[in-house]
């Protein structure tokens, strides 16, 4: 799957992933009203509204981008109906030939880790039948529990030709409380980055490993170091736009050929119609505003090369 991701980035000239992280407050009134008219002010109504919102954004942007990244917490908060909306979103994105990065941030050990990997990336056997579940192409994983937590995911990824993005240096302000702690004179995130590179050696694609890393856009100097530590790992870069990351600050995450990183934007894309520069589209045309925001983001990022 890393080969498909790289090929689609080359084809679209867009190292961009749209984060499908919907909140009810993001949704235009016409979408919420229609869903509530059909299902009432219920969890099912909320889930239907979120699904229709996502569908509109996917329809408006799938030809421009290589991938989407739904954040599962935004769906889990609506219980089983929310998870059904997550499942619909993943399946529809794949119908549009988009690579799907499941932002699930799982992290456990042994059979629990294997079960998470099966649910999101693998297949489960029920009697004589085998089923794919959420079936994302990549999943985000927390490495805090060490190799015991990562290996079950890697095993499933090998079976299914899928991949991981492992948290190395996150974009949130308090990430340094642990990630920047010095161990033998070096910050923890460097040690984690080295381990990601080692895990990745065991599951390689054509040019890059199936095992990538998450490194926030808000720390470009750290990104520069980690790019050198993990030369064959694709870097998923959150924090662009709404969280303060800039295009110029993204340059260290990429290799000289413009590959090696994919940049996420969530609110900046899916809530574009609420921003002053896209207000002309209005709530009725929220998806068109998202499309224009994607075009502008691609142009902004490509300006650094």
């Amino acid at each position: 799957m890393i080969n498909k991701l790289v090929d689609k980035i080359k084809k679209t000239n867009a190292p961009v992933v749209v984060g499908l992280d919907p909140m009810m407050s993001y949704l235009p009134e016409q979408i919420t009203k229609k869903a509530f008219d059909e299902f009432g002010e219920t969890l099912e109504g909320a889930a239907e509204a979120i699904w229709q919102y996502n569908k509109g954004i996917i329809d408006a942007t799938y030809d421009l981008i290589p991938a989407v990244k739904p954040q599962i917490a935004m769906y889990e908060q609506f219980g089983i109906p929310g998870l059904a909306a997550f499942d619909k979103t993943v399946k529809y994105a794949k119908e549009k030939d988009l690579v799907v990065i499941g932002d699930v941030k799982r992290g456990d050990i042994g059979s629990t880790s294997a079960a998470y990997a099966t649910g999101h990336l693998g297949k489960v056997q029920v009697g004589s039948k085998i089923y794919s579940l959420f079936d994302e192409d990549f999943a985000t994983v927390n490495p805090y529990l060490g190799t015991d937590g990562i290996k079950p995911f890697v095993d499933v990824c090998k079976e299914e030709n899928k991949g991981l993005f492992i948290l190395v240096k996150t974009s949130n302000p308090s990430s340094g409380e642990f990630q920047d702690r010095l161990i033998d004179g070096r910050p923890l995130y460097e040690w984690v980055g080295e381990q990601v590179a080692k895990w990745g050696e065991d599951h390689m694609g054509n040019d890059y490993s199936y095992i990538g890393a998450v490194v926030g856009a808000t720390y470009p100097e750290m990104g520069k170091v980690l790019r050198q530590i993990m030369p064959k790992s694709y870097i998923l870069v959150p924090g662009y736009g709404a969280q303060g990351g800039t295009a110029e600050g993204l340059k260290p995450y990429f290799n000289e050929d413009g590959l090696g990183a994919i940049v996420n934007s969530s609110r900046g894309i899916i809530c574009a119609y609420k921003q002053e520069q896209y207000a002309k589209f209005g709530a009725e045309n929220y998806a068109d505003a998202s499309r224009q925001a994607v075009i502008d983001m691609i142009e902004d990022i490509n300006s650094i090369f």
Side-chain angles (χ1 to χ4, degrees):
M1 194 51 64
I2 188 63
N3 297 332
K4 179 177 180 178
L5 179 61
V6 174
D7 288 345
K8 287 187 71 67
I9 289 172
K10 290 177 180 178
K11 181 179 178 180
T12 58
N13 195 30
V16 166
V17 55
V18 172
L20 297 174
D21 306 352
M23 298 284 284
M24 290 301 291
S25 61
Y26 296 174
L27 276 56
E29 183 179 353
Q30 75 271 12
I31 289 181
T32 305
K33 183 179 184 304
K34 185 176 179 181
F36 286 176
D37 284 347
E38 184 174 357
F39 294 96
E41 293 183 353
T42 61
L43 294 174
E44 288 78 11
E48 173 66 13
I50 284 171
W51 152 238
Q52 293 296 338
Y53 179 64
N54 286 349
K55 183 177 183 296
I57 291 169
I58 291 170
D59 285 342
T61 61
Y62 76 92
D63 61 317
L64 300 175
I65 59 175
V68 292
K69 182 176 71 65
Q71 162 52 259
I72 200 168
M74 301 307 180
Y75 305 83
E76 286 180 343
Q77 65 183 325
F78 298 107
I80 301 304
L83 285 175
F86 179 86
D87 186 47
K88 285 183 181 179
T89 297
V90 171
K91 286 179 169 55
Y92 189 69
K94 294 184 78 167
E95 285 177 18
K96 294 294 187 180
D97 199 37
L98 291 167
V99 173
V100 178
I101 301 170
D103 195 353
V104 299
K105 295 187 178 69
R106 298 305 192 230
D108 214 305
I109 58 172
S111 59
T112 308
S113 189
Y116 278 137
T118 295
H120 287 281
L121 300 171
K123 295 181 176 70
V124 67
Q125 185 160 349
V126 180
S128 62
K129 297 183 178 181
I130 295 176
Y131 297 92
S132 294
L133 288 307
F134 290 118
D135 200 26
E136 301 105 297
D137 299 307
F138 290 84
T140 57
V141 180
N142 189 325
Y144 193 76
L145 280 74
T147 299
D148 290 346
I150 300 298
K151 188 178 183 299
F153 279 93
V154 175
D155 290 344
V156 171
C157 285
K158 286 180 179 179
E159 293 174 6
E160 303 293 336
N161 286 323
K162 295 187 176 183
L164 305 175
F165 285 102
I166 297 173
L167 304 181
V168 174
K169 176 58 183 173
T170 56
S171 57
N172 57 302
S174 65
S175 66
E177 290 177 0
F178 298 123
Q179 296 168 21
D180 295 1
R181 290 281 180 172
L182 297 182
I183 301 173
D184 294 338
R186 299 171 63 201
L188 176 59
Y189 64 79
E190 289 191 16
W191 292 101
V192 177
E194 284 191 354
Q195 194 62 48
V196 167
K198 289 179 182 177
W199 287 324
E201 290 172 358
D202 200 31
H203 190 28
M204 286 293 301
N206 293 339
D207 299 304
Y208 288 93
S209 171
Y210 283 77
I211 311 303
V214 178
V215 182
T218 46
Y219 304 105
E221 287 304 311
M222 298 175 186
K224 183 177 181 180
V225 172
L226 288 166
R227 174 73 282 167
Q228 295 171 346
I229 289 173
M230 304 179 293
K232 296 296 183 180
S233 299
Y234 235 82
I235 298 177
L236 171 62
V237 189
Y240 170 86
Q243 294 184 50
T246 64
E248 188 57 37
L250 294 172
K251 199 166 186 177
Y253 299 80
F254 290 88
N255 290 316
E256 291 183 2
D257 58 4
L259 298 173
I262 186 166
V263 183
N264 177 76
S265 179
S266 299
R267 282 172 292 165
I269 302 298
I270 67 174
C271 287
Y273 79 99
K274 289 178 173 281
Q275 300 171 32
E276 184 177 350
Q277 70 187 103
Y278 304 113
K280 63 184 180 182
F281 289 96
E284 288 287 334
N285 300 305
Y286 77 96
D288 293 330
S290 294
R291 180 178 178 85
Q292 187 59 53
V294 167
I295 291 170
D296 293 344
M297 180 180 175
I298 293 169
E299 182 179 350
D300 188 34
I301 292 174
N302 285 336
S303 71
I304 67 177
F305 300 118

